[in-house]
């Protein structure tokens, strides 16, 4: 018998719950045992379970799909990017190799790219122009073909290896050569490592520094050479001489320096002007330059001072001969604008290494020797010796002690009477300074006035003299004697001189003609215009002006006529022989006559004997001063003579 089977649906209780749910079951009837066997499931719950599984599966698929899609996108982006970089690289490369030239050509410097062996791979227009070649021609050259000598080329290649490694860049100066013209020019090279067409190479920026070098040379010339004469100057000799001395110490070589100082150059400048003075210096330099040889260097130290350095001339006879030669250069007059001028020089010589081993020492000693030469009457040379250094230290000591003397009030005035030639009456008194030194006793002005002038102390001392002699004059005003005092040209040159004197004159309430200032001719020569008006002002104020030491300078009587002076003091040297020598007697007679004719009074100085007095009185000389009547004496003593 065939069993019966079928699907059936029915509602049935859910397990463990009171809810019912539709259930689908497969039921088989088994007739033999008259029973049914079935297996079923709850329809809704099963659907739910299946739905959940399905939803889960769908999310998974979506995630995978998304993952795949994103991966594809990223990959595509990466591909795209690298493609762009590649394209840019390619573009740059094209640009580099094809367009670099255009860029390079706008640069002012020359650009050269070369390989490790120095072969030129590329250049810009400027580099080609610099070397006088075309760009194509440049490519046929190596660095060595573009430099002044093979050593230079070697140094370039060495630098490219050694120096660049550290800094990535090296800068150096270089002597380049134009290969066709064979002309050399100065360049500055900036060298850097690079790659060119895939190979190791170097790029060099080449700058023409010829102009820079030239201006450097000009600066050097300005610093080391004298503008006026074109001779090397002091700074140069300092370097040169020191180098030479060092060499000489090393090579036991010897030599001498000649310090040359033109005599009375100031007068040339003052009388003919500075432009003329400059031309004179150029002529002097030319003369000195005729001696120039490999052993002799000529230098201008400044102003009217020159220096000759003679190497390898150690023997004294040689040095003397050279000194004579230098002095002799000026025997012949110098001609400027068809006018001849006689110029002389004083020369000081110091020998090395005997006198010193530094240029400072040698210059100092040669300078000292010049000083000596001037003292001995100029137009000569003097060889330095060690006694001069002693003299210098004495002089320095004197300067110190003079300043101290002024501070401590160690100066005093002595007075010497001036006598009327006919009556023998004292009509005037000259104040003469002395230094009452605690070390040396009474020191006379001849020993310190020049030094005081040189260190400027004369201005203070001079003021003191005026103050004291004016005070003395005030006390003697009722006696009708004129007190004169000496004035240094240095003092007279001070701008406040006139006002200072007038102020003192007023303060003491002095009468016209009660005081006088004794000036020398050198005051008039130094700066005439200014001095003239100063003296005129003082004279108008009632202060008498005496011209001292007349006859020792250059002034003529004719010239005296125009000067604001009252009295001529004839120098002692004219008086000494008036009675013994007829000519000298006649000269003095003439001076007196002419002076009186132009309205000047005359004082004869240094009258020591009666015959002189008699002669002078007969000549018509107004006043006489000298040991015959009295030496200069103290204030108390002179009062007894009045
Ligand atoms: P000076 O102005 O020509 O003065 C005359 C000099 O001759 C004085 O020398 C005087 O003592 C000296 N003397 C006078 N009569 C005779 C004589 O009969 N025989 C001889 N052999 N000599 C005589 P002192 O006092 O030594 O002065 C020397 C120079 O010093 C002066 O020459 C003057 O130029 C300068 N001096 C003197 N006092 C001053 C001063 O206060 N200021 C300045 N700046 N210079 C002064
Ligand atoms: Ca005098
Ligand atoms: Ca005098």
């Amino acid at each position: 018998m065939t069993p019966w089977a079928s699907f059936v649906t029915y509602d049935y209780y859910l397990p463990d719950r009171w809810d019912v749910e539709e259930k689908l079951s497969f039921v088989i009837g088994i007739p033999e045992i008259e029973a049914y066997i079935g297996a079923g499931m709850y329809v809704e719950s099963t659907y739910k379970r299946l739905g959940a599984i399905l939803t889960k599966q769908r999310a998974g698929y979506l995630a995978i799909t998304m993952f795949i899609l994103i991966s594809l996108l990223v990959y595509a982006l990466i591909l795209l990017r690298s493609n762009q970089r590649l394209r840019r690289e390619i573009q740059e490369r094209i640009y580099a190799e094809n367009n670099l030239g255009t860029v390079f050509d706008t640069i002012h410097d020359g650009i050269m790219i070369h390989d490790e062996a120095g072969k030129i791979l590329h250049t810009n227009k400027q580099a080609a122009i610099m070397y006088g070649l075309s760009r194509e021609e440049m490519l046929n050259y190596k660095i060595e073909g573009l430099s002044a000598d093979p050593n230079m080329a070697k140094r370039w290649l060495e630098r490219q290896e050694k120096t660049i490694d550290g800094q990535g860049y090296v800068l150096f100066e270089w002597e380049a050569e134009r290969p066709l013209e064979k002309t050399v020019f100065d360049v500055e090279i900036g060298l850097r490592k690079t790659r060119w067409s895939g190979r190791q190479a170097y790029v060099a920026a080449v700058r023409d520094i010829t102009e820079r070098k030239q201006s450097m040379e000009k600066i050097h010339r300005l610093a080391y050479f004298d503008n006026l004469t074109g001779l090397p100057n002091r700074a140069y000799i300092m370097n040169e001489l020191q180098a030479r001395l060092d060499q000489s110490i090393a090579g036991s070589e010897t030599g001498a320096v000649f310090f040359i100082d033109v005599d009375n150059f100031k007068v040339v400048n003052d009388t003919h002007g500075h432009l003329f003075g400059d031309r004179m210096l150029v002529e002097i330099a030319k003369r000195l330059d005729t001696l120039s040889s490999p052993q002799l260097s000529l230098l201008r130290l400044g102003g009217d001072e020159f220096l000759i350095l003679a190497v390898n001339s150690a023997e004294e006879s040689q040095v003397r001969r050279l000194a004579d030669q230098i002095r002799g250069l000026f025997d012949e007059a110098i001609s400027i604008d068809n006018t001849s001028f006689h110029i002389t020089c004083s020369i000081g010589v110091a020998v090395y290494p005997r006198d010193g081993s530094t240029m400072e020492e040698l210059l100092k000693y040669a300078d000292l020797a010049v000083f000596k030469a001037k003292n001995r009457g100029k137009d000569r040379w003097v060889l330095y010796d060690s006694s001069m250094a002693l003299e210098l230290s004495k002089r320095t000591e004197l300067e110190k002690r003079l300043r101290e003397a002024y501070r401590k009030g160690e100066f005093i005035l002595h007075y010497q009477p001036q006598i009327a030639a006919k009556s023998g009456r004292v009509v005037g008194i000259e104040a003469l300074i002395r230094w009452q030194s605690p070390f040396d006793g009474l020191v006379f002005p001849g020993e310190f006035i020049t030094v005081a002038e040189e260190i400027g102390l004369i201005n203070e001392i001079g003021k003191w003299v005026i103050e004291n002699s004016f005070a003395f004059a005030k006390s003697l005003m009722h006696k009708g004697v004129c007190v004169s005092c000496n004035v240094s040209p240095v003092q007279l040159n001070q701008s406040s001189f006139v006002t200072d004197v007038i102020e003192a004159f007023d303060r003491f309430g002095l009468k016209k003609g009660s005081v006088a200032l004794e000036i020398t001719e050198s005051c008039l020569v130094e700066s005439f215009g200014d001095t003239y008006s100063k003296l005129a002002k003082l004279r108008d104020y009632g202060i008498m002006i005496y011209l001292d030491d007349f006859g020792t300078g250059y002034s003529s009587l004719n010239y005296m006529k125009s000067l604001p002076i009252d009295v001529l003091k004839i120098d002692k040297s004219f008086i000494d022989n008036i009675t013994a020598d007829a000519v000298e007697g006649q000269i003095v007679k003439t001076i007196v006559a002419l002076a009186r004719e132009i309205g000047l009074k005359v004082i004869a100085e240094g009258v020591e004997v009666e015959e002189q007095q008699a002669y002078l009185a007969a000549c018509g000389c107004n006043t006489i001063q000298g040991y015959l009547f009295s030496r200069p004496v103290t204030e108390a003593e002179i009062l007894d003579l009045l």
Side-chain angles (χ1 to χ4, degrees), residues 548-549 571 605:
D548 210 350
D549 301 344
D571 191 66
E605 284 191 293

Side-chain angles (χ1 to χ4, degrees), residues 430-633:
E430 180 179 4
L432 294 155
I433 196 170
R434 274 95 185 87
W435 171 15
Q436 189 68 62
S437 161
F439 305 101
D440 305 314
L442 200 64
V443 184
F444 287 85
E447 308 226 4
F448 62 85
I449 291 292
T450 314
V451 179
E453 283 177 336
E454 277 165 13
I455 63 175
L457 189 67
I458 195 68
N459 293 318
E460 279 85 36
I461 294 177
K463 244 184 173 169
W464 178 88
V465 169
I466 286 170
E467 197 69 19
N468 284 270
S469 56
F470 278 21
F472 192 47
K474 167 77 180 168
S475 71
L476 296 179
M477 227 156 59
H478 60 286
K479 300 216 170 181
V481 290
C482 175
V483 178
S484 64
C485 69
N486 295 281
V487 171
S488 150
V490 178
Q491 226 179 318
L492 192 57
N493 247 334
Q494 279 208 305
S495 53
S496 66
F497 181 73
V498 173
T499 48
D500 286 352
V501 172
I502 287 176
E503 186 273 325
F505 187 84
D506 286 342
R507 181 156 38 82
F508 287 109
L510 293 169
K511 276 201 305 219
K512 283 191 172 204
S514 60
V515 287
L517 302 179
E518 299 197 3
I519 57 145
T520 55
E521 278 170 278
S522 58
C523 291
L524 302 167
V525 174
E526 304 272 306
S527 56
F528 179 67
D530 197 20
T531 312
Y532 184 97
S533 66
K534 280 179 173 176
L535 295 177
K537 226 181 246 171
L538 290 166
R539 192 163 172 254
D540 289 347
Y541 214 75
I543 296 154
M544 310 252 274
I545 308 293
Y546 296 180
L547 187 69
D548 210 350
D549 301 344
F550 179 75
T552 57
Y554 305 96
S555 6
S556 66
L557 272 169
N558 207 24
Y559 167 68
M560 294 295 118
K561 242 194 289 192
S562 58
L563 290 178
I565 54 173
D566 302 282
V567 173
L568 211 67
K569 291 187 80 175
I570 303 176
D571 191 66
K572 181 176 176 295
S573 59
F574 279 82
I575 308 302
D576 285 343
N577 293 320
I578 39 169
T579 50
D581 187 319
V583 177
E584 298 218 352
Q586 193 53 48
I587 290 172
V588 169
K589 197 174 180 174
T590 313
I591 292 173
V592 174
L594 287 173
R596 295 196 60 163
E597 204 168 288
I598 58 174
L600 297 176
K601 286 193 168 157
V602 180
I603 299 178
E605 284 191 293
V607 178
E608 293 180 341
V609 291
E610 270 169 25
E611 290 78 37
Q612 290 170 338
Q613 183 200 7
Y615 183 84
L616 288 160
C619 286
C621 178
N622 311 78
T623 311
I624 281 158
Q625 180 180 351
Y627 290 177
L628 176 62
F629 307 101
S630 172
R631 289 182 172 254
V633 293

